[in-house]
Amino acid sequence: QVQLVESGGGLVQPGGSLRLSCAASTSIFSMTMGWYRQAPGNQREWVATITSGGGTPLADSVKGRFTISRDNAKNTVYLQMNSLKPEDTAIYYCKATKTSDRGTNYDYWGQGTQVTVSS
């Protein structure tokens, strides 16, 4: 089991910045980590991923504004969000994907942190 705890959400004005953190209960060294978000009335959507090798694909809607990074020594993943827009308002979730020795992927989710962008 992997427990994930997100933090860093809050209320910010349009154009502002926030940094989300996702702390894991175990080593994330070999895991793929990701951020997703869900706005009211919408399905959960993918935002960003960081692989164990450091690859960092981003959703088109956040390219140039968001950056994902990881600190394996702290078992923590970050999402730096700049130039925030009202449409970024959502609950942001962290996901960890662990691959077993047999190649089976197991996904673990955090409880989410609210981000509200409003003037």
Side-chain angles (χ1 to χ4, degrees):
Q1 283 284 353
V2 179
Q3 295 180 335
L4 303 171
V5 178
E6 302 98 333
S7 62
L11 173 64
V12 63
Q13 293 186 342
S17 297
L18 282 175
R19 188 177 82 154
L20 305 183
S21 299
C22 171
S25 61
T26 188
S27 172
I28 64 169
F29 180 79
S30 62
M31 296 184 195
T32 295
M33 305 295 294
W35 286 97
Y36 291 72
R37 67 186 181 185
Q38 187 168 15
N42 291 354
Q43 291 186 336
R44 190 172 298 189
E45 65 174 2
W46 168 70
V47 175
T49 293
I50 184 163
T51 67
S52 57
T56 56
L58 297 167
D60 287 343
S61 59
V62 305
K63 281 180 181 177
R65 301 188 299 121
F66 290 11
T67 303
I68 186 171
S69 61
R70 64 195 293 159
D71 186 336
N72 290 337
K74 295 183 178 180
N75 298 328
T76 301
V77 175
Y78 304 97
L79 186 68
Q80 178 66 45
M81 306 186 295
N82 300 326
S83 302
L84 283 161
K85 306 174 181 180
E87 51 264 42
D88 295 317
T89 295
I91 300 174
Y92 283 71
Y93 297 91
C94 177
K95 186 179 86 168
T97 300
K98 184 176 182 180
T99 303
S100 72
D101 292 341
R102 295 184 176 184
T104 301
N105 287 334
Y106 296 90
D107 291 334
Y108 302 90
W109 292 89
Q111 293 298 308
T113 185
Q114 177 70 49
V115 171
T116 302
V117 185
S118 175
S119 55

